[in-house]
Amino acid sequence: YVGALRDSQHLHRQDGRVVPNGRLEFIAPMPRLHDDGAAWVAELRRLEDLGFDTVTVSHHLTNGWQLAPIPAMAFAAASTTRLRVQSLVVQNPLQHPALLAKDIATIDRLSGGRVELGLGAGWLARDYAALGVPFESTPTRIAQLAEAITIIRDYFTTETVDFAGRYYHVDNLEALPRCVQQPNPPILIGAGGPRMLDLAGRCADIVGVQARMMHGSIDDDAVADLSAIALQAKITRIRDAADGAGRATPRLQFSVPYLHVTDSDAPPRQSTWTKAVVANLDTLAGSPAVLMGTAAECAEKVLEHSRRFGISYWHLGQDTEAAARIIALLRQGGVG
């Protein structure tokens, strides 16, 4: 799961699964729960048939977010045959890392190795207010996350976990079940600010390159933090941190906040992100944050951005039909 994009058409098979060796992979959002569970499962299977590699679930408690990540991931894995499941991302301060590691190891074992753990330090203060949990300072949350990653990796790679830190203590914890994926299920860290980018470069298998939420909201500053120049600076920082730790550069993941396939009957999906992006399109010239054009033009742009920035793991937004058209063109060699 490490290494930048080298050849977008090259595939490598490992343990029966196509894994990235310069290959692009694509994420779909977890379907929203509407009428019943059967319809939700049917939508998951449709995403699998459309060619998505992974389905993700967010971890929020307010503003209409629905599903708890761990049970949703487990049920999604049990309801599909190929699709991988990923948290994008679990808020570390809201659970104990050893219990989270056990949950992920359980899903990994029962799914035959189809889980990825996305972690973040948390940014939405009202999630914490809703639970009466203190929303600590950014440096404290990042320090907590660093300790948590150590515990989680130890759980995945050792027989017992012992850890004594400032925020967590684990005493002779038996690390069962053992994971199918070795040495561990991929760990993604969502990172936007300098300290998180440094931590991700040192510790992550995958880095979800994000905007920095400097004001705790999606605003003009957050959008500007996804400009081409800002993204390149973030990626350089990740690579420098990895080099300093003596390890390969983590794989890069990016979520596109604005997708508009113009040869589609459907208008672009509206969200807080899309509204903020539309108001700042000039700022995002040349950035992968905006994909706009025909399906073929968008596919060309994905390839272009992959080569320029080294991104090989893409979340193309909430419109899965439009994203699937782009994916099909890329998989069929209809661009480039």
Side-chain angles (χ1 to χ4, degrees), residues 56-97:
T56 65
V57 61
S58 298
H59 184 202
H60 289 295
L61 303 169
T62 58
N63 200 33
W65 292 96
Q66 295 178 299
L67 300 175
I70 297 302
M73 291 162 66
F75 205 90
S79 301
T80 55
T81 58
R82 178 190 57 80
L83 203 62
R84 294 175 69 79
V85 295
Q86 181 195 94
S87 54
L88 194 66
V89 291
V90 170
Q91 299 191 62
N92 176 68
L94 297 182
Q95 71 282 298
H96 194 287

Side-chain angles (χ1 to χ4, degrees), residues 23-297:
R23 178 182 185 262
L24 306 183
E25 289 196 323
F26 296 93
I27 290 169
M30 193 72 77
R32 289 187 69 82
L33 182 63
H34 294 294
D35 295 331
D36 56 50
W40 185 81
V41 169
E43 178 64 13
L44 278 172
R45 292 171 178 165
R46 187 185 72 88
L47 294 174
E48 189 170 50
D49 291 341
L50 285 172
F52 289 94
D53 299 285
T54 305
V55 64
T56 65
V57 61
S58 298
H59 184 202
H60 289 295
L61 303 169
T62 58
N63 200 33
W65 292 96
Q66 295 178 299
L67 300 175
I70 297 302
M73 291 162 66
F75 205 90
S79 301
T80 55
T81 58
R82 178 190 57 80
L83 203 62
R84 294 175 69 79
V85 295
Q86 181 195 94
S87 54
L88 194 66
V89 291
V90 170
Q91 299 191 62
N92 176 68
L94 297 182
Q95 71 282 298
H96 194 287
L99 295 177
L100 177 62
K102 189 175 186 70
D103 286 342
I104 294 297
T106 299
I107 299 173
D108 190 69
R109 193 73 188 182
L110 296 178
S111 70
R114 289 191 288 129
V115 67
E116 298 173 357
L117 172 59
L119 279 168
W123 65 274
L124 191 59
R126 61 176 173 267
D127 284 344
Y128 298 77
L131 293 177
V133 174
F135 187 61
E136 305 290 356
S137 68
T138 298
T140 296
R141 285 181 282 117
I142 294 174
Q144 289 173 330
L145 180 59
E147 288 192 5
I149 293 167
T150 299
I151 293 168
I152 291 166
R153 279 207 184 273
D154 284 351
Y155 191 101
F156 290 155
T157 58
T158 64
E159 293 184 0
T160 58
V161 182
D162 289 279
F163 183 85
R166 180 173 180 181
Y167 303 102
Y168 301 108
H169 288 76
V170 181
D171 184 16
N172 196 34
L173 176 66
E174 193 173 16
L176 290 173
R178 307 308 297 152
C179 294
V180 172
Q181 297 180 90
Q182 291 295 322
N184 58 269
I187 297 173
L188 177 149
I189 298 177
R195 283 172 290 202
M196 282 295 295
L197 293 165
D198 289 344
L199 176 64
R202 295 193 305 267
C203 300
D205 301 308
I206 310 167
V207 181
V209 186
Q210 302 173 347
R212 186 182 183 188
M213 302 296 188
M214 289 172 282
H215 311 299
S217 62
I218 299 168
D219 56 16
D220 290 349
D221 288 335
V223 172
D225 203 42
L226 293 179
S227 71
I229 292 173
L231 279 177
Q232 190 59 65
K234 290 174 189 284
I235 292 166
T236 298
R237 188 158 192 137
I238 292 165
R239 290 176 176 155
D240 288 346
D243 287 344
R247 64 194 301 264
T249 301
R251 191 178 181 204
L252 301 179
Q253 183 273 331
F254 186 74
S255 297
V256 176
Y258 184 77
L259 171 67
H260 182 195
V261 176
T262 55
D263 55 345
S264 167
D265 293 334
R269 296 286 180 93
Q270 293 299 310
S271 68
T272 305
W273 261 118
T274 59
K275 293 173 184 177
V277 167
V278 168
N280 293 273
L281 285 176
D282 290 344
T283 302
L284 297 176
S287 167
V290 175
L291 286 180
M292 185 163 52
T294 66
E297 289 168 343

